[in-house]
Amino acid sequence: MTNPTWWKEGIIYQIYPRSFQDTNGDGIGDLAGIAARLDYLVWLGADAIWISPIYPSPMADFGYDISDYCDVDPLFGSLHDFDHLVEEAHRRNLKVILDYVPNHTSDQHAWFAESRASRSNPKRDWYYWKDPNPDGGPPNNWISNFGGSAWELDPGTGQYYYHAFLKQQPDLNWRNSEVVAAMSDVLRFWMRRGVDGFRVDVLWHLMKDAEWRDNPPNPAFREGQPDIERLLQVHSADQPEVHGIVQHLRRVVDEFPDRVLIGEIYLPIDRLVTYYGRDLSGAHLPFNFQLIQSAWIARQLAALIREYEAALPAGGWPNWVLGNHDKPRIASRIGRPQARVAAMLLLTLRGTPTLYYGDEIGMENVSIPADQVQDPWEKNEPGLGFNRDPQRTPMQWGDEENAGFTIGKPWLPLELRFRERNVKAFAADRNSILVLYRRLIALRRRHKALTIGSYREVESEGDVLAHERAAGGEVILVALNLGREAQRLKARGRGTGQVLLSTLGSREGEAIHAEIEIGPDEGLVIGYGAAADAGPIEADPPEGGG
Ligand code: TEU
Ligand code: CA
């Protein structure tokens, strides 16, 4: 494979900073907390951490509403704490990826204060201001991602401003060259401080229709879906002009060596892959959320993996995501036994895996009492199941009070069973999901076939999902059973294989001949040729860390 680099071979671990580790007892995680847990991430085998926003923010959308792009919110610490974190991470060979939120600022950002001050303010055009419709209503029919009109009337100047998310998150005008310049300097500011790359928030939203045409109705809309689904987002996102901006961001990132540009993009596969850009001049990794969005059905997953692999541009590096702070926890979505199978899939597919904090201990959605709801989306569109708090609860480190997350009152409640389900207990249990994750990561690191090898779908039926990875003399067969009944898979033509790892932890070392029996909810990694020589991966593999 051409030009392997850390963001191709490595594993990205997403940290939601409010919920990882609190060090000052305010019930909210902080940068010092992340620094204190870096050794855990090395032990697990992570190569990079992506930290959700840490910048000064009124926290209307928990940091995705930024009032200063070049500082740290006191809740999380200081620039000094940040520099310390980067230094400690780099000392351990961990890369640091920041969240970059270019689509909108907070309405408390100084830029917006100026912009709204008067129609003639030099920064007026930094945001999208439009006159009311002749009837006084909003300029077009666009809907906010969090429900209701995407337009807010500013009484002071008599115009509406556009916000794709909360009204506290006015959209920046990326057609304005001063905005482009100012936001480019933000990237440089953090890269100079040693940041290794960025996850770009809602990258496909950065350009809107130049004529602000109404979006057409969505004929498939049903009550109970998010308000935004009433319309097809034909004119409000994924505009052809966005690729010029993506390319520009990439050029800025390329001013510094070995940095990565990741894009958050919720689009169908054929649209998603356009974000690699012509001749790969766009994002290195347009986030691939197919595993999050698909039902957990073997045939459906096989089809989408096939479609994704086929759609990738030449040289475009794939990536896979199982969970994030916006989506229900994988263990709740597909059940605890299948969460182990999912881990094996995530860590054996071709492409960079992104792992959401807590998924490695099988954290589940935590139900949030109505009076403790934090998520603004839930507050805007209550009771329909859109609350994102359940997947943002504190990390479960141990069996002590508040699972070792805080000595104060946690900002969200902990999972009820944290006393059994936590890092400390699971690290000591060789059959835990945590040890499985650690072994999978170690296995992946050990075999070129898994990190940078070729991918081939293996023909299978029913609940079986199977694929083969190969590099040099190594051949690795991954056979997953997504169902509750034992299955068989033909495995002729590869010689005798050896089970390197089972999600059930029971069959390592077993010889595999012409046919494989896969138990209920079982996943197997089978090595052939040079891949078998190394033998099964131990329950306590040597530490990762690059
Ligand atoms: O999320 C964008 C986003 O589009 C999702 O919340 C979305 O509405 C849904 O998941 C698509 O299916 C990003 C951040 O990840 C999220 O936390 C922020 O609230 C949002 O942008 C605004 O910045
Ligand atoms: Ca704190």
Side-chain angles (χ1 to χ4, degrees):
M1 295 263 56
T2 53
N3 218 359
T5 175
W6 66 269
W7 54 265
K8 290 184 180 171
E9 296 185 62
I11 285 154
I12 301 171
Y13 184 99
Q14 182 191 353
I15 292 175
Y16 196 67
R18 293 182 74 86
S19 300
F20 202 58
Q21 177 68 64
D22 177 25
T23 58
N24 63 351
D26 66 358
I28 296 173
D30 40 53
L31 292 179
I34 298 173
R37 294 297 187 179
L38 290 176
D39 287 333
Y40 164 72
L41 298 172
V42 171
W43 173 84
L44 180 64
D47 298 277
I49 53 175
W50 149 35
I51 312 173
S52 282
I54 52 165
Y55 318 101
S57 165
M59 301 290 167
D61 190 20
F62 297 107
Y64 285 94
D65 50 320
I66 296 169
S67 52
D68 180 353
Y69 285 105
C70 296
D71 204 347
V72 169
D73 194 285
L75 207 53
F76 297 124
S78 62
L79 276 173
H80 176 78
D81 294 325
F82 182 78
D83 292 341
H84 174 73
L85 173 61
V86 171
E87 198 182 308
E88 290 295 311
H90 285 172
R91 219 156 54 74
R92 293 167 173 81
N93 281 318
L94 285 168
K95 304 284 185 183
V96 178
I97 298 169
L98 283 186
D99 220 306
Y100 176 66
V101 188
N103 182 69
H104 42 266
T105 69
S106 162
D107 63 346
Q108 302 303 304
H109 196 293
W111 297 344
F112 189 70
E114 284 188 51
S115 186
R116 85 187 316 174
S118 76
R119 292 196 185 198
S120 58
N121 187 279
K123 288 207 169 52
R124 186 65 168 181
D125 186 50
W126 281 41
Y127 296 82
Y128 298 115
W129 292 98
K130 297 273 174 253
D131 286 331
N133 255 351
D135 67 0
N140 70 17
N141 72 347
W142 296 3
I143 296 173
S144 152
N145 279 260
F146 293 140
S149 172
W151 295 94
E152 182 72 11
L153 183 64
D154 174 53
T157 57
Q159 285 189 313
Y160 283 88
Y161 66 86
Y162 175 69
H163 57 90
F165 292 87
L166 298 174
K167 65 172 188 249
Q168 296 94 328
Q169 294 167 299
D171 280 42
L172 277 168
N173 177 7
W174 276 82
R175 293 183 194 268
N176 179 308
S177 58
E178 289 171 16
V179 167
V180 176
M183 289 301 290
S184 304
D185 283 342
V186 170
L187 294 172
R188 296 184 185 104
F189 173 88
W190 291 106
M191 286 191 285
R192 276 187 214 111
R193 296 194 103 90
V195 165
D196 299 289
F198 302 91
R199 171 271 192 188
V200 185
D201 194 59
V202 296
L203 184 58
W204 83 112
H205 273 265
L206 289 190
M207 280 284 174
K208 346 291 179 186
D209 179 36
E211 295 166 47
W212 298 91
R213 283 167 286 186
D214 277 356
N215 276 325
N218 172 8
F221 177 78
R222 283 167 282 104
E223 286 307 324
Q225 290 184 310
D227 203 27
I228 177 99
E229 300 289 337
R230 288 176 193 278
L231 304 176
L232 297 171
Q233 307 299 304
V234 174
H235 301 301
S236 48
D238 193 29
Q239 300 301 292
E241 301 99 305
V242 76
H243 296 288
I245 296 297
V246 179
Q247 239 178 50
H248 173 82
L249 297 177
R250 169 63 182 273
R251 278 197 301 268
V252 174
V253 163
D254 281 350
E255 290 170 14
F256 294 71
D258 219 18
R259 310 298 152 115
V260 70
L261 187 68
I262 303 172
E264 185 210 22
I265 299 153
Y266 284 95
L267 287 176
I269 290 173
D270 60 322
R271 300 299 316 150
L272 172 68
V273 296
T274 64
Y275 285 76
Y276 283 98
R278 194 187 295 272
D279 301 323
L280 305 181
S281 59
H284 293 107
L285 302 174
F287 259 152
N288 165 18
F289 297 125
Q290 298 302 317
L291 295 180
I292 294 183
Q293 292 174 316
S294 165
W296 202 250
I297 297 170
R299 303 282 50 88
Q300 220 161 294
L301 291 168
L304 75 83
I305 297 166
R306 191 183 312 134
E307 194 193 332
Y308 178 67
E309 277 279 347
L312 288 168
W317 187 250
N319 76 91
W320 297 94
V321 185
L322 261 188
N324 63 39
H325 62 294
D326 295 327
K327 300 295 176 185
R329 289 274 183 188
I330 184 75
S332 298
R333 212 155 65 70
I334 65 175
R336 300 182 73 77
Q338 279 299 317
R340 303 171 74 104
V341 176
M344 188 170 273
L345 180 64
L346 174 72
L347 291 160
T348 59
L349 283 172
R350 189 173 80 96
T352 307
T354 299
L355 173 53
Y356 184 49
Y357 89 92
D359 280 352
E360 77 275 24
I361 54 169
M363 276 175 69
E364 295 188 42
N365 297 337
V366 176
S367 88
I368 310 292
D371 63 340
Q372 288 177 48
V373 167
Q374 305 283 339
D375 184 9
W377 190 7
E378 176 65 14
K379 291 178 180 171
N380 277 358
E381 297 189 75
L384 296 169
F386 309 148
N387 191 4
R388 297 172 295 176
D389 297 337
Q391 58 265 28
R392 297 174 175 181
T393 62
M395 181 66 174
Q396 298 150 207
W397 295 106
D399 60 1
E400 65 270 44
E401 194 73 15
N402 293 323
F405 165 70
T406 182
I407 53 162
K409 183 179 167 354
W411 77 288
L412 280 174
L414 278 122
E415 200 174 295
L416 288 175
R417 300 181 61 177
F418 75 80
R419 285 182 204 274
E420 305 132 62
R421 298 176 179 173
N422 58 65
V423 168
K424 192 161 145 255
F426 284 174
D429 171 5
R430 51 164 295 146
N431 291 316
S432 69
I433 185 169
L434 177 60
V435 170
L436 174 65
Y437 260 100
R438 184 160 181 256
R439 295 171 82 187
L440 278 164
I441 294 171
L443 185 73
R444 187 183 169 89
R445 190 188 301 282
R446 195 178 73 176
H447 294 285
K448 280 237 167 325
L450 291 176
T451 46
I452 55 165
S454 62
Y455 168 87
R456 192 171 72 79
E457 181 180 358
V458 170
E459 208 183 311
S460 59
E461 294 177 340
D463 285 336
V464 178
L465 181 64
H467 60 269
E468 188 185 275
R469 305 288 311 279
E474 292 183 346
V475 175
I476 288 183
L477 175 64
V478 180
L480 309 174
N481 183 352
L482 275 64
R484 289 282 171 81
E485 277 157 44
Q487 303 285 338
R488 283 168 179 284
L489 178 71
K490 297 220 180 336
R492 276 191 202 90
R494 295 185 191 85
T496 300
Q498 188 190 165
V499 175
L500 301 179
L501 184 55
S502 153
T503 55
L504 304 181
S506 47
R507 294 172 60 183
E508 284 79 355
E510 186 182 311
I512 297 293
H513 302 288
E515 197 170 60
I516 310 168
E517 176 131 3
I518 322 168
D521 295 316
E522 183 174 42
L524 296 168
V525 177
I526 300 158
Y528 295 87
D533 298 344
I537 195 93
E538 318 93 275
D540 194 21
E543 267 178 28

